[in-house]
Amino acid sequence: MILTRTLEVATPLELEALRRRVRAPDLELPLGSRVVLLTGLEGPAPCPVVAWGGDAAVARTDDVPEALRPVARGPRPFPLGGHVAALGARTLVLGIVNVTPDSFSDGGRFATADEAVRHGLALVEAGADWLDVGGESTRPGAPPVEAAQELARVLPVLRGLRSALPNVPLSIDTQKPEVARLALAAGAALVNDVSGFADPKMAEVVAAAGAAACVMHLQGTPQTMQRAPRYEDVVHEVAEALDASLARGESAGVPRERMLVDPGIGFGKTLEHNLALLRHLDALRGLRAGGVLLGTSRKSFLGVLTGQADPAQRALASAVSVALAAGTRAVDVARVHDVRQTREALAVAEAVRAACAGGERW
């Protein structure tokens, strides 16, 4: 799979990193140059290049064919059960409803069905476009939960939300096909699988229900993912893994346009990996999935950057990270805890983007 990324070589360190990636120690580019990095080549590059080595090449932006350029997709319908989300018109906000005692940010706060339903209602009042219900923590080191326990947590919440909010789409955050099957029957319209269809039965469940899905990248498991994660090229490797997840979905009968991709910020990544993915989210457009979902909300890398040890104090940083991505039209859906702050940040980012001539990125 050939993946393309637009780069601005702004510093000597960035130039040196580019030289290493294409194995061209003598590559010279004026600082401020905008180029395209092509990775995943199995032979000569499909366009004129200024440097080439191994599976990667650097090309000038004007030399890269349109077919290889990842472009933001315009407004299009995304079916969610009896609802249709309009992706591409603006960044949609997916509110998080955790029904767990041990989630990294809000574990135990909404542990009963009534509390979780009230929280979901509050998130919609604050501007959430749909809600994501989860009954198993996937924080680093979190122990697995039996399916029966997970179902006991999420099914009453899904039913309560479906009754109270008939016009708001719901999704289920789970890695277990049996949980997904019963959650879809209880009113969920999308399965948010952090394992990226690691269990092939999950894709079969989604296909049988005619549901949508989000496949995320995860290196390892929640128990092991932060034990020294390593990548040679994190953007390309994450994109390849997501492409494989999409292929598993397609082989089971889930159309690619009915699946979102999530790069898995914080799931088996260091600070540097997370920042590289955020900088190059637009590369995921090349996967031709239904859309791109981003989940940075309250995560530990934001605590490292801001000095905020308490996840609940990272709302501002979370909203900024989403707004920056939205400003480049790199994401379609943001999964967040702090809906109001995120909607306000998105309103500003999208107004600035709309003010640019022709909708160009800023």
Side-chain angles (χ1 to χ4, degrees), residues 322-348:
V322 170
L324 288 170
T328 63
R329 304 183 70 190
V331 297
D332 299 292
V333 182
R335 182 178 182 272
V336 305
H337 298 85
D338 304 290
V339 169
R340 179 182 58 79
Q341 295 91 327
T342 303
R343 286 298 297 262
E344 290 177 358
L346 284 171
V348 176

Side-chain angles (χ1 to χ4, degrees), residues 43-97:
C47 61
V49 300
V50 295
W52 176 62
D55 69 340
V58 177
R60 302 190 189 282
T61 53
D62 291 343
D63 291 333
V64 178
E66 288 291 335
L68 287 177
R69 298 184 186 185
V71 294
R73 299 175 62 189
R76 69 255 180 222
F78 186 78
L80 285 170
H83 312 278
V84 178
L87 298 189
R90 63 174 175 84
T91 302
L92 302 183
V93 175
L94 175 56
I96 299 170
V97 181

